[in-house]
Amino acid sequence: MPRLLRTVARTAVVAGTATTVSNRVSRRQANKWGQQEAAQAPPPEAAPAPVAAAPAAAPAPSMIDQLKELGELKEQGILTEDEFAEQKAKLLAG
């Protein structure tokens, strides 16, 4: 059973890391494209006021939160020292 938990935890960490990296790349691309469009578009004459603000999306977990979660998984024995070091390196490199 501990082996199954370790596999599930490792999958969750990898998926979370992949999601974080994917979101970061998407935000960078959107910002880059937005800057390019703003530079090319003429300034608007008058923009109408928004009717209602859209609800904000839930913020992505911070790197510190993810590192804390990795540390907890290691303390619980779900991740080995090598797995912890590998996932930590991925987070810090991203």
Side-chain angles (χ1 to χ4, degrees):
M1 192 64 161
R3 187 178 214 185
L4 176 62
L5 287 174
R6 183 176 297 139
T7 302
V8 169
R10 184 180 314 139
T11 302
V13 169
V14 170
T17 302
T19 300
T20 301
V21 170
S22 175
N23 289 341
R24 187 175 299 150
V25 169
S26 296
R27 273 186 259 122
R28 284 182 186 165
Q29 286 178 343
N31 288 338
K32 182 178 177 182
W33 293 335
Q35 289 173 354
Q36 288 175 351
E37 288 176 1
Q40 294 174 355
E45 292 176 13
V51 176
S62 71
M63 185 181 300
I64 293 173
D65 292 336
Q66 290 177 342
L67 288 171
K68 286 179 183 178
E69 184 178 333
L70 280 175
E72 290 171 4
L73 291 172
K74 182 182 139 208
E75 287 177 9
Q76 294 171 2
I78 296 172
L79 292 177
T80 65
E81 183 67 36
D82 292 336
E83 292 168 335
F84 172 76
E86 179 183 339
Q87 294 303 322
K88 179 177 150 188
K90 285 181 183 179
L91 275 174
L92 296 175

